Amino acid sequence: MAVTRRKALSQGFSGVFLVCSFAADKRSRPVTGTATSAWARASAAGPFEPFQRDVPLLPVARPVEQTKSLQKYISEMKPGTASILPGLTTPILGYYGMYPGPTFRATRGRAVEVRQINRSGRDLNVHLHGGVTQPQFDGHPHDAVPDGTERLYHYSNVQHSATLWYHDHAHGETAKTLFAGLAAFYIVEDPEEDDALELPRGDYDVPLMIQDRAFNADGTFRYRVDIDRGFRGDTLLVNGAIAPRMKVERRLYRLRLLNSSNARPYEFVLGNGREVIQISSDGGLLPKPVRRTSISLQPAERVDVVVDFRQFGVGSEVILHNTVGEATTSAVMRFDVVKGGAEEARVPKVLRELEPLPPVNAQRSFPLTFNGLGRAQWQIAGAGFDDERIDCRPRLGSSELWTFTNNSERTHPMHTHGHFFRVVSIEGKPPQPGDAAWKDTIPVLPHQTVVIRPNFDYYTGRYVFHCHAAEHGDMSMMGQMEVVA
Ligand code: C2O
Ligand code: CU
Ligand code: CU
């Protein structure tokens, strides 16, 4: 089925503009005055009042061409606008010019090719976070796609079903471009697994992207550089809307939670601590569902949960809270429960078997430090990022033990490209079961020691590993590994 690009856009994104509309938003007032979002919030709660808008459902990108083995897409990275504050438009930088960008729904075993056209006015690249991707398509920080040019990214989708995302990885620029709006979901699906497991799908499978932002009085995003803590905004957005509400039927929902904030961590609690069922983490399904009353999510982490809204009566308003922020970042979103039809989904007792790890071939230690001498920077093993330096050469088909020791006062969500790992221990203790399957990002809290076991199982070549507090990675908390045959 070959469709033109224009058609693809109109098909793929029909409905988007509807759900983004403010027509129903009668109670909100425009922002007035000259100061910041914090000021506007204090003086006129209107525009920042939570639960005023329906959660935007993210558009799904449509292929321009496809065969059984390959789906082809064309995406443009370019400036656009978003409607976030009533009566104002917010300039953004986005995939297809949209914030948040469109979701790719890829199929395991069927490759995806994305022609990324850079019309952003700056040099960018594209990194598929959590993708098992050949190095030339991984968006290495120094592999720029210059403004006005394009690049073909090939994703083989050899990996298991999982919730991934994509963002820019230009070195030293990621904090700004991520903040400007370049972030979106990329979901790998496995139809056979879907049929076997019968987890909620279709309308009941909802990707939710959580980010913090701050605003100027004219509606523009306000960014302040903070190398130490990373950016913290006073306003939470879910799928690009301020603490929205979502109508849910009394049935099971799969919520795919992504923290694509620059540096803010979250701890999510539903209602007064109702249970959610975690089914998946960064690398895909857990072996078994895990019942949890709170979900912590550091920058770049993903957790899929199933929420059983049958435990609530029709008319209930169930708030998802963040318990580790300030007062203004407490309300995340609200679920408004309505009558449901017959339930077809379920949460099976067993989800997926975890592959065994190959033998450990090396042990490495990576102290994490802040170096305030000269030009202040964050460092891994005493060094900032250097494109010319390879920090380690793991062997393909092996696993290794990596020890991160945090000698600083900040949390570092450490991330490996191209390869998943298992968490061996956190302060000598095994991780909680929700973090015990395949991960690509794990927080190392201040003065903690975390041991991971990366699995170098697929491609050889050069990849980076880094802290995913975007400001830390930019400045310059990143190393390089070269996986060798
Ligand atoms: Cu989200 Cu280097 O990655
Ligand atoms: Cu990544
Ligand atoms: Cu860090």
Side-chain angles (χ1 to χ4, degrees):
M1 174 199 81
V3 293
T4 65
R5 183 152 151 263
R6 176 174 290 273
K7 249 198 203 147
L9 280 165
S10 58
Q11 286 170 1
F13 302 138
S14 59
V16 176
F17 302 105
L18 261 184
V19 294
C20 286
S21 131
F22 278 92
D25 216 354
K26 294 216 176 61
R27 269 188 290 169
S28 35
R29 283 160 276 162
V31 190
T32 51
T34 52
T36 61
S37 46
W39 178 87
R41 188 191 301 281
S43 55
F48 295 98
E49 211 175 298
F51 322 132
Q52 299 303 298
R53 265 183 76 187
D54 290 328
V55 69
L57 298 176
L58 299 174
V60 175
R62 294 288 151 101
V64 290
E65 217 181 297
Q66 56 185 349
T67 65
K68 272 214 171 75
S69 58
L70 178 67
Q71 297 184 292
K72 293 185 178 183
Y73 296 83
I74 300 172
S75 161
E76 238 176 288
M77 303 180 272
K78 60 180 183 188
T81 56
S83 301
I84 301 167
L85 294 168
L88 296 170
T89 53
T90 304
I92 57 97
L93 210 54
Y95 299 102
Y96 294 76
M98 305 177 68
Y99 168 75
T103 302
F104 284 81
R105 291 235 175 218
T107 307
R108 185 179 188 209
R110 190 184 197 188
V112 160
E113 219 171 68
V114 189
R115 201 170 120 203
Q116 286 282 5
I117 303 165
N118 182 2
R119 297 225 168 89
S120 67
R122 54 199 301 155
D123 297 354
L124 298 176
N125 65 28
V126 181
H127 169 58
L128 176 57
H129 182 123
V132 175
T133 304
Q134 285 171 281
Q136 67 269 36
F137 305 120
D138 191 51
H140 186 278
H142 281 294
D143 187 8
V145 181
D147 181 40
T149 70
E150 58 180 66
R151 176 75 58 86
L152 204 62
Y153 286 94
H154 182 94
Y155 305 121
S156 53
N157 299 317
V158 289
Q159 63 200 95
H160 282 293
S161 66
T163 303
L164 316 180
W165 63 297
Y166 59 104
H167 59 81
D168 165 57
H169 223 299
H171 187 60
E173 301 293 316
T174 302
K176 281 177 224 123
T177 57
L178 179 59
F179 186 78
L182 285 166
F185 279 98
Y186 183 110
I187 294 168
V188 181
E189 299 181 321
D190 181 339
E192 275 170 47
E193 188 182 76
D194 283 349
D195 290 343
L197 296 181
E198 301 177 276
L199 291 161
R201 45 173 141 174
D203 291 346
Y204 309 102
D205 170 353
V206 185
L208 297 170
M209 174 189 288
I210 298 111
Q211 298 182 305
D212 58 340
R213 288 293 182 271
F215 295 88
N216 296 307
D218 62 358
T220 53
F221 282 149
R222 180 166 55 91
Y223 184 75
R224 226 191 80 230
V225 183
D226 183 340
I227 305 273
D228 178 25
R229 295 176 73 225
F231 172 82
R232 301 291 160 108
D234 53 18
T235 304
L236 287 196
L237 306 184
V238 178
N239 292 356
I242 295 170
R245 60 187 180 219
M246 178 177 156
K247 215 170 243 134
V248 293
E249 296 170 24
R250 285 190 73 232
R251 58 193 302 160
L252 302 176
Y253 279 76
R254 176 183 192 153
L255 306 176
R256 299 178 188 255
L257 306 173
L258 159 65
N259 178 359
S260 55
S261 308
N262 282 40
R264 179 181 284 280
Y266 301 99
E267 183 88 35
F268 297 126
V269 172
L270 185 68
N272 317 312
R274 292 296 185 111
E275 263 182 358
V276 299
I277 306 165
Q278 183 184 349
I279 54 168
S280 171
S281 62
D282 303 336
L285 292 170
L286 306 175
K288 287 188 212 131
V290 178
R291 294 179 173 276
R292 301 181 68 181
T293 50
S294 80
I295 299 282
S296 83
L297 215 57
Q298 291 278 340
E301 285 191 298
R302 288 89 66 211
V303 161
D304 294 11
V305 295
V306 172
V307 179
D308 188 349
F309 286 105
R310 292 172 302 190
Q311 65 185 303
F312 303 105
V314 169
S316 309
E317 297 179 338
V318 187
I319 294 173
L320 185 68
H321 293 278
N322 166 34
T323 60
V324 292
E326 301 81 54
T328 66
T329 58
S330 158
V332 181
M333 64 185 294
R334 192 182 73 196
F335 299 98
D336 297 347
V337 183
V338 302
K339 218 166 139 265
E343 185 58 80
E344 295 134 35
R346 65 192 183 105
V347 182
K349 293 216 159 53
V350 176
L351 295 166
R352 177 193 292 168
E353 217 177 296
L354 283 183
E355 304 82 349
L357 277 145
V360 171
N361 192 46
Q363 303 202 18
R364 306 182 195 275
S365 78
F366 297 108
L368 310 175
T369 51
F370 184 75
N371 187 339
L373 299 171
R375 194 164 179 220
Q377 65 170 200
W378 291 99
Q379 298 182 328
I380 302 175
F385 181 64
D386 180 353
D387 184 38
E388 306 290 310
R389 189 189 69 238
I390 301 286
D391 297 277
C392 57
R393 291 196 162 75
R395 194 155 288 287
L396 187 71
S398 77
S399 68
E400 297 190 351
L401 290 175
W402 288 14
T403 302
F404 294 116
T405 307
N406 187 349
N407 301 319
S408 79
E409 305 301 325
R410 302 295 177 220
T411 296
H412 304 295
M414 297 305 292
H415 168 51
T416 54
H417 277 219
H419 305 82
F420 289 101
F421 55 78
R422 303 273 285 277
V423 182
V424 176
S425 64
I426 298 172
E427 286 296 277
K429 291 193 230 54
Q432 56 91 9
D435 284 335
W438 296 111
K439 292 276 294 166
D440 61 44
T441 307
I442 188 77
V444 186
L445 302 184
H447 303 287
Q448 242 186 11
T449 295
V450 172
V451 181
I452 64 167
R453 190 167 161 191
N455 181 11
F456 301 100
D457 61 343
Y458 225 91
Y459 296 120
T460 56
R462 189 170 63 145
Y463 296 90
V464 292
F465 58 98
H466 60 94
C467 174
H468 219 294
E471 288 77 6
H472 293 184
D474 280 350
M475 204 56 215
S476 186
M477 203 171 191
M478 190 169 313
Q480 287 191 101
M481 54 186 169
E482 187 177 4
V483 180
V484 294

